Amino acid sequence: QVQLVESGGGLVQPGGSLRLSCAASGRMFSSLAMGWFRQAPGKEREFVAAISGSGSRRYYEDSVKGRSTISRDNAKDTVYLQMNSLKPEDTAVYYCAATWRSSGNYYAKDFYDYWGQGTQVTVSS
């Protein structure tokens, strides 16, 4: 079983930055593929970014590409999402997700087996 705890959300002005963190419990963190999703009110949960266990492969949703960076520290069992140039449309609850799978569709919700509780990100002036 893997438990995921997100942190780092909050209120930020347009154009600002935030770094989200997701701490994972359990063993073999470096074998977990990790992803970030978000869900705005009244909308489906959508893919934001993902990273393979080794960190060698990274994937981004088009609207965040160039503004966001996903990274991981396997010594700290933590994955990060650095978001820059934030826009009001980035407002959502951001969820961390994990899977033991090493291949498949990183963009799909059903690729992941474990989910965190989410952290709210609000971009507003």
Side-chain angles (χ1 to χ4, degrees):
Q1 189 72 10
V2 176
Q3 293 185 330
L4 305 172
V5 179
E6 303 96 335
S7 61
L11 174 64
V12 62
Q13 292 188 340
S17 298
L18 277 178
R19 188 177 80 156
L20 305 183
S21 300
C22 172
S25 67
R27 301 178 298 170
M28 303 294 287
F29 177 74
S30 61
S31 295
L32 287 168
M34 304 294 295
W36 286 97
F37 286 74
R38 65 186 179 188
Q39 188 166 18
K43 295 189 176 182
E44 294 286 320
R45 190 172 299 190
E46 65 176 7
F47 172 80
V48 177
I51 188 168
S52 61
S54 67
S56 61
R57 288 171 287 155
R58 307 183 191 200
Y59 308 88
Y60 296 95
E61 194 268 331
D62 285 346
S63 71
V64 306
K65 199 175 294 183
R67 301 190 293 124
S68 299
T69 302
I70 188 170
S71 62
R72 64 191 298 156
D73 185 339
N74 286 345
K76 296 183 178 179
D77 294 351
T78 301
V79 64
Y80 305 97
L81 181 67
Q82 175 70 43
M83 299 189 295
N84 302 320
S85 302
L86 283 161
K87 305 175 182 179
E89 51 263 44
D90 294 316
T91 296
V93 177
Y94 283 70
Y95 297 91
C96 177
T99 180
W100 294 112
R101 297 180 180 87
S102 57
S103 62
N105 184 359
Y106 279 73
Y107 297 82
K109 291 188 294 291
D110 61 9
F111 179 68
Y112 300 90
D113 304 304
Y114 307 101
W115 293 85
Q117 293 298 308
T119 185
Q120 176 71 46
V121 171
T122 302
V123 184
S124 175
S125 55

